Amino acid sequence: MWSLLDTRDPLLKTYLVGFALAVLLTLIPFALVARGALPLVPTLVVIAILGVTQATVHLHYFLHLDLSAQHRENLLTLAFTAVVIIIMIGGTIWTLFNLHYRMMI
Amino acid sequence: MLGKLTFDALPFYSPIALTGAVIEVGAGAAVLGVVTWYGKWRYLWTEWLTSLDHKRIGIMYIALALVMLLRGFSDAVMMRTQQAIAYNSPGYLPPEHFNQVFSAHGTIMIFFMAMPFLVGLINIVVPQQIGTRDVSFPFMNSVSLWLTASGAALVLVSLVIGKFSTAGWSAIAPYSELRYTPGVGVDYWIWAVLISGVGSTLTGINFVVTILKRRAPGMTLMRMPLFTWTALVTSVLMVFAFPALTVAAGLLGLDRYLGMHFFTNGHGGDMMNYANLFWIWGHPEVYIVVLPAFGVFSEVVATFSGKRLFGYKSMVYATAVIGLLSFTVWLHHFFTMGESADVNIFFGIATMCIGVPTGVKIYDWLMTMYRGRVRLEQPMYWTLGFIVTFVIGGMSGILLAIAPVDYLMHNSVFLVAHFHNMLIPGSVFGYFAGYCYWFPKAFGFKLDDRWGKRAFWAWIIGFYLAFMPLYVLGFEGMPRRMDHYATAGWQPWLIVAEVGAVVIAFGIACQIIQLVYSIRHRHELRVTSGDPWDGRTLEWMTSSPPAPYNFAVIPQVHDLDEFAWRKKHGGRGPEEVRFGNIVMPDDTGVGVILGGLAFVLGFAMVWHIWWLAALSGLGMLAVLIIRSSEDHDEHLVGADEVRLIETHAGLEAAE
Amino acid sequence: MTDVTLGRISDAALERAAAEHARDEHELGFWIYLMSDAIIFALLFATYAVMVDRTAGGPPAHGLFDLAHTFMETLLLLCSSMTFGLASLSVRARNKDAVLFWLAVTFVLGAGFVGLEIAEFQGMVAAGAGPQRSGLLSSFFTLVATHGLHVSMGLAWIVVLGLQVLVRGLSAPVASRLYRLGLFWHFLDIVWIGIFSVVYLPGIY
């Protein structure tokens, strides 16, 4: 039987749900910016939250990350990476904005 | 056709540079000549260059490190000599050349001496310590080696063709930008660092996976030897820190090659961000460089005190805390760049905090020796020298962590004294200790004792003579990287420092003699049992040198210091042994080829030979694609062959 | 690596166990590589953030970007993630033809993404807003082009693996490589979320 989709595979539903959520989480911020419905700062906050949410959707529905023992290593690695990234980005932004202000360059 | 490369690139414009180039080329030619004379090219290629055996790769790393130590040290002697004589005088070294010398010295010592040395030790030891046969990615291991060698080759070539960077080993912007330093020097630095940096990142990945996935059954994380723990944390640091170097050097490269404005003075460039990005890598890097040395000390202290390491758990936690905190202190490298006090305070406090776990380690080592039966073998000499000397450097570090104090000391020779006080007793002594400790494991014979101890005394006395004066001079206000000066009071100290450099040179000479002598007398110095030091950990269970597969039978681990446990509970291992087939990776020349192409790519990019760069780049891609499509890259070592190897080793051990 | 001290375990079993362990290691190793790549992107994002107003008298972020264009790119990449997922499912189902089909669709979508991005860059350069104009533009081009280069590498990888599937079928090594390519592809889509959230949407607002 030549078929492109095994509709009986339970994982198919996972991908479809993930895709639907991702599309939704994309439409909302784009629409917000297109309409300018909210002031700047709340818009940025919404974009940030939805962005993190969509990344989580990808990680769970497409990359199958969860709290199970099988994926524990990947999750811990990701968590450590997230900590390091927050330190590096946070430190950079704090330091450089501080420097820009004080050094005027 | 040849980009910017012309005959003028050769160092005929400077007698000093020419001398250096001639010595370097001569030494290289001599090595090639010796290999040809003894007809060893085939042997070299099949047994070493194409080897995927982690032990051989480790040995080659250390060989590279020792060669580059000589090159980096000659830079050091040149600087000391210049500074000793250049009171109210230009000395013998023109300023621009002096700048190249200090830049090359730092670049070589960190990237091409320290990194290969520690990676070499980790390569030789860790798979054996965890009771496995090879690393998780043997081919990638080979690629890492050859990429590192390729970077080293670029730095070496810069002495002969063109010039090296004058921007220091950190290439701080905007000085390193095209506008202020338009020559090829900074480009050599960028490509050497980018290429070898990829190698280091891959090594980090390799050993994280190896240590997490290949430990022998029964070896939980809290039963791993300390050296393996430090190797694990070091590898994690490599994975997460080196990308920052790639970004820093890469963006600098984009500015220089494509006229972008990341760090330029003007056009919206942010010059301070370079220092920020570079040191985000740079600080974890110094922990990468010191943690394996701490691991060596832990092994050495336990073995030569005849006791389990004191406070194993606290050592593990201390190592992990150092690793994590190493990402939070980087700003202390540029306290004076202009940020406000609260930014400086945050990083200053973090810097002081990171001294605490190291202090814990020092106490643990001391307590291991306390009430132990201490044997003063060579590795213990290096360890004791480290413990005494390193704490001085640590204290100077805590002093520098106070930002207002750093405002006085930043970029003075006080800073130079501090970091050499960390790197030499910390890293270098640690590597030397590891070198004497594991040499018999790798080669089957010990290094001569007397020459080793002479080398130690010369190094430690030389170190104090060379660097303690710099603390004084730093307090007196002498800046770093000075090629001449007009303050009379400085010269006596600088002369003492020069004497120190000479004494260290004696130390290095002793080490060279030690190696030659030991090879000559290897039959007297032979170790047959595989365990010359009455060791406590699994690597001493293999023969010396080990079989390619390390263990014919993967050991079952019962406790921390498994080998000591086995000795205590009787029996050297399972008596009834039935050998099986063993899968080993095939050797391959692809790593060498990739390294060679990487060198050509780097060289072509430095000299703007675009067609050659494109060709070598595409070549690397093609080779990678072909290699990654390879499904059959392993072979079977049959059970009978294993039995033969093991019986032979057993007979040797019984002698 | 598993060992054979306990009796007559066959070579085939040895090979299978070794292969599974190797696959496990390859997946973890590749995941860790992706984490190191994440650091590179994170620092490029940080650099963009500190340079976002360093326009040197040149064009600011607002006015450089087009919402519809960005939305198209986003949809193409998101759909390609979905179609790669379908390719992964086809690997599970051992359906070689379906794998090739969905890989091809993924390729087309990804190539569309890269094409749109190149067009955007060309337009900006033609309008005098190239990477040499200002710090902001340098960091924009570098961040987005680094992502685009990764996607291009992914496209090349799809071709190579597609050929392997064609010639060798869905063998264990090929399946393992497809899995890693999947990790790579989904990772790039996550980075893109960051790009439109940090660069394009705030820039356009």
Side-chain angles (χ1 to χ4, degrees):
Chain A
M1 272 294 284
W2 184 82
S3 160
L4 294 173
L5 270 178
D6 182 3
T7 47
R8 288 161 301 163
D9 191 336
L11 265 189
L12 176 61
K13 183 167 163 222
T14 313
Y15 278 102
L16 287 170
V17 168
F19 181 65
L21 284 173
V23 170
L24 187 65
L25 291 168
T26 303
L27 283 171
I28 298 176
F30 272 86
L32 264 183
V33 169
R35 307 262 168 116
L38 291 176
L40 175 64
V41 173
T43 308
L44 292 179
V45 171
V46 170
I47 291 173
I49 294 177
L50 293 185
V52 172
T53 309
Q54 198 190 144
T56 313
V57 164
H58 280 247
L59 287 168
H60 179 70
Y61 291 95
F62 293 160
L63 287 171
H64 316 298
L65 269 192
D66 54 26
L67 299 170
S68 72
Q70 189 197 355
H71 296 120
R72 182 78 34 89
E73 261 165 4
N74 291 21
L75 198 58
L76 281 173
T77 318
L78 184 66
F80 183 79
T81 309
V83 169
V84 171
I85 285 179
I86 289 171
I87 294 173
M88 288 182 179
I89 296 186
T92 298
I93 289 181
W94 183 33
T95 305
L96 269 307
F97 274 102
N98 184 275
L99 281 166
H100 290 173
Y101 173 70
R102 280 171 55 93
M103 302 302 287
M104 302 208 296
I105 49 171
Chain B
M1 177 71 177
L2 282 180
K4 301 199 290 190
L5 186 58
T6 64
F7 199 68
D8 296 331
L10 292 172
F12 294 114
Y13 50 83
S14 155
I16 299 175
L18 187 59
T19 312
V22 165
I23 295 176
E24 205 180 79
V25 172
V31 169
L32 296 177
V34 164
V35 175
T36 312
W37 178 263
Y38 285 104
K40 288 287 192 182
W41 281 111
R42 175 165 210 97
Y43 166 77
L44 203 62
W45 179 258
T46 52
E47 295 295 319
W48 287 92
L49 304 184
T50 58
S51 173
L52 257 45
D53 183 338
H54 66 94
K55 302 179 284 297
R56 299 226 158 152
I57 289 177
I59 291 170
M60 286 188 279
Y61 264 115
I62 296 179
L64 174 67
L66 292 174
V67 166
M68 296 307 277
L69 174 67
L70 292 177
R71 168 68 214 270
F73 181 72
S74 43
D75 286 324
V77 169
M78 286 177 76
M79 287 189 283
R80 278 283 131 259
T81 307
Q82 168 70 10
Q83 288 195 331
I85 66 181
Y87 163 60
N88 266 339
S89 135
Y92 75 95
L93 209 49
E96 201 238 351
H97 195 158
F98 182 82
N99 297 351
Q100 286 181 58
V101 170
F102 69 67
S103 306
H105 171 76
T107 304
I108 287 173
M109 289 302 202
I110 295 289
F111 290 103
F112 303 112
M113 191 282 290
M115 291 297 295
F117 216 137
L118 71 97
V119 171
L121 287 173
I122 289 177
N123 253 295
I124 294 174
V125 176
V126 168
Q128 294 184 66
Q129 273 199 343
I130 63 175
T132 189
R133 300 212 158 107
D134 206 328
V135 296
S136 296
F137 309 115
F139 170 67
M140 203 164 77
N141 206 10
S142 169
V143 172
S144 291
L145 168 67
W146 293 110
L147 288 179
T148 306
S150 166
L154 280 171
V155 175
L156 289 176
V157 151
S158 72
L159 177 57
V160 184
I161 305 177
K163 298 182 182 188
F164 192 65
S165 170
T166 52
W169 82 280
S170 50
I172 300 288
Y175 179 82
S176 51
E177 291 276 343
L178 218 51
R179 177 170 167 186
Y180 301 104
T181 316
V184 295
V186 175
D187 297 321
Y188 265 121
W189 182 89
I190 288 174
W191 289 101
V193 152
L194 282 177
I195 291 172
S196 61
V198 171
S200 301
T201 311
L202 295 178
T203 293
I205 297 173
N206 215 339
F207 279 95
V208 171
V209 179
T210 301
I211 293 172
L212 290 183
K213 291 284 186 186
R214 288 203 168 213
R215 281 164 287 134
M219 185 176 279
T220 58
L221 285 173
M222 294 308 271
R223 282 181 184 170
M224 296 197 310
L226 238 304
F227 183 74
T228 300
W229 262 114
T230 56
L232 177 62
V233 176
T234 301
S235 301
V236 170
L237 292 183
M238 283 196 262
V239 169
F240 288 96
F242 269 85
L245 179 66
T246 305
V247 171
L251 298 186
L252 181 64
L254 286 175
D255 277 359
R256 289 177 66 92
Y257 280 90
L258 293 179
M260 297 206 195
H261 293 289
F262 284 102
F263 314 120
T264 52
N265 185 358
H267 277 97
D270 188 345
M271 300 175 280
M272 300 175 289
N273 195 23
Y274 179 86
N276 176 59
L277 292 169
F278 179 83
W279 287 111
I280 287 179
W281 166 80
H283 196 82
E285 167 66 5
V286 313
Y287 289 99
I288 289 171
V289 153
V290 93
L291 282 179
F294 286 174
V296 173
F297 293 132
S298 293
E299 301 294 337
V300 165
V301 163
T303 302
F304 294 108
S305 305
K307 279 172 74 192
R308 175 175 289 200
L309 184 67
F310 184 90
Y312 173 86
K313 259 206 185 136
S314 67
M315 292 292 277
V316 171
Y317 284 121
T319 308
V321 166
I322 290 174
L324 185 59
L325 282 182
S326 72
F327 286 105
T328 63
V329 302
W330 79 90
L331 189 132
H332 70 228
H333 297 271
F334 48 93
F335 274 140
T336 60
M337 199 153 73
E339 58 277 332
S340 63
D342 42 356
V343 178
N344 279 347
I345 284 284
F346 173 84
F347 284 95
I349 292 178
T351 305
M352 291 184 220
C353 288
I354 205 172
V356 173
T358 306
V360 167
K361 289 186 165 232
I362 300 268
Y363 283 115
D364 280 335
W365 288 318
L366 291 173
M367 291 305 288
T368 308
M369 288 188 277
Y370 179 66
R371 296 259 184 116
R373 273 201 307 271
V374 178
R375 292 177 280 145
L376 287 178
E377 300 279 357
Q378 284 179 72
M380 270 311 259
Y381 271 59
W382 294 108
T383 306
L384 292 171
F386 149 77
I387 291 179
V388 169
T389 317
F390 186 82
V391 291
I392 301 175
M395 288 191 292
S396 67
I398 299 299
L399 189 62
L400 288 169
I402 304 168
V405 173
D406 187 74
Y407 261 79
L408 301 171
M409 299 300 163
H410 178 66
N411 275 351
S412 71
V413 290
F414 186 93
L415 172 66
V416 174
H418 160 71
F419 64 70
H420 282 91
N421 204 345
M422 304 268 85
L423 290 168
I424 295 182
S427 300
V428 176
F429 283 17
Y431 304 154
F432 288 160
Y435 171 67
C436 338
Y437 185 54
W438 283 305
F439 189 95
K441 169 56 54 183
F443 292 106
F445 59 96
K446 281 187 189 180
L447 284 167
D448 175 69
D449 205 53
R450 289 167 311 141
W451 283 107
K453 289 175 178 172
R454 283 170 196 157
F456 165 76
W457 286 115
W459 264 95
I460 197 165
I461 292 171
F463 169 79
Y464 276 95
L465 287 174
F467 290 100
M468 293 302 139
L470 296 188
Y471 279 124
V472 177
L473 286 170
F475 277 131
E476 293 189 358
M478 178 178 173
R480 70 192 288 198
R481 298 173 171 167
M482 291 192 89
D483 73 293
H484 70 279
Y485 51 94
T487 311
W490 291 353
Q491 190 173 36
W493 295 111
L494 288 167
I495 293 176
V496 173
E498 162 78 340
V499 172
V502 172
V503 175
I504 293 180
F506 275 127
I508 293 180
C510 289
Q511 287 170 309
I512 296 174
I513 295 172
Q514 179 194 42
L515 187 59
V516 173
Y517 180 93
S518 307
I519 293 174
R520 280 247 177 88
H521 292 87
R522 62 187 180 278
H523 296 291
E524 290 107 82
L525 292 163
R526 187 163 292 278
V527 290
T528 45
S529 68
D531 181 23
W533 309 117
D534 192 20
R536 307 177 63 82
T537 41
L538 280 181
E539 77 269 27
W540 302 108
M541 265 175 65
T542 59
S543 55
S544 294
Y549 46 74
N550 300 337
F551 299 91
V553 171
I554 300 291
Q556 173 71 36
V557 171
H558 308 85
D559 198 6
L560 178 60
D561 287 355
E562 171 68 11
F563 195 26
W565 184 92
R566 288 182 180 218
K567 289 178 188 177
K568 188 163 162 201
H569 291 83
R572 203 175 172 280
E575 300 308 333
E576 172 54 43
V577 171
R578 283 152 79 196
F579 298 119
N581 298 329
I582 294 177
V583 179
M584 293 297 292
D586 288 340
D587 289 342
T588 172
V590 174
V592 187
I593 293 171
L594 279 173
L597 286 174
F599 172 79
V600 173
L601 173 65
F603 187 84
M605 288 301 288
V606 167
W607 291 103
H608 294 199
I609 311 174
W610 309 124
W611 62 267
L612 186 58
L615 217 63
S616 45
L618 286 170
M620 288 179 77
L621 207 58
V623 167
L624 272 171
I625 290 177
I626 295 172
R627 168 70 196 191
S628 69
S629 306
E630 179 61 65
D631 278 345
H632 305 289
D633 53 3
E634 293 172 324
H635 62 276
L636 217 59
V637 179
D640 290 331
E641 192 178 340
V642 174
R643 179 175 299 113
L644 219 63
I645 297 173
E646 294 302 305
T647 328
H648 181 75
L651 282 175
E652 270 208 352
E655 277 168 21
Chain C
M1 303 217 77
T2 53
D3 196 16
V4 192
T5 53
L6 303 169
R8 307 254 158 272
I9 300 178
S10 66
D11 281 347
L14 180 71
E15 257 187 67
R16 257 201 312 279
E20 199 179 300
H21 191 261
R23 229 178 13 249
D24 209 22
E25 288 179 316
H26 279 112
E27 286 169 16
L28 178 61
F30 193 78
W31 183 253
I32 296 175
Y33 152 70
L34 284 180
M35 296 299 104
S36 78
D37 230 15
I39 303 283
I40 291 184
F41 279 111
L43 290 171
L44 290 177
F45 275 111
T47 298
Y48 179 83
V50 304
M51 294 187 100
V52 81
D53 50 7
R54 299 179 85 91
T55 54
H62 185 85
L64 284 172
F65 310 137
D66 180 74
L67 193 65
H69 191 105
T70 309
F71 187 67
M72 259 326 292
E73 288 176 317
T74 308
L75 270 192
L76 282 173
L77 208 59
L78 184 54
C79 289
S80 75
S81 253
M82 180 66 208
T83 56
F84 197 99
L86 295 175
S88 302
L89 290 179
S90 306
V91 174
R92 262 163 65 96
R94 312 214 65 78
N95 186 340
K96 179 172 153 178
D97 291 328
V99 170
L100 287 169
F101 177 79
W102 290 116
L103 280 181
V105 174
T106 307
F107 183 90
V108 168
L109 293 170
F113 171 88
V114 174
L116 281 179
E117 194 158 276
I118 292 178
E120 178 190 15
F121 286 175
Q122 278 177 336
M124 286 173 75
V125 170
Q132 290 92 349
R133 179 64 188 82
S134 68
L136 160 68
L137 284 163
S138 296
S139 60
F140 164 78
F141 272 90
T142 303
L143 170 60
V144 178
T146 300
H147 174 266
L149 272 168
H150 276 77
V151 174
S152 306
M153 288 287 152
L155 291 175
W157 196 358
I158 289 177
V159 171
V160 171
L161 283 189
L163 286 170
Q164 284 190 14
V165 171
L166 205 57
V167 171
R168 298 181 197 170
L170 292 171
S171 65
V174 171
S176 175
R177 287 173 197 143
L178 281 169
Y179 178 81
R180 279 173 267 155
L181 174 54
L183 290 180
F184 189 68
W185 200 258
H186 292 302
F187 168 79
L188 288 177
D189 205 7
I190 294 176
V191 174
W192 182 256
I193 297 173
I195 291 180
F196 76 69
S197 301
V198 169
V199 176
Y200 286 103
L201 291 182
I204 292 172
Y205 183 90

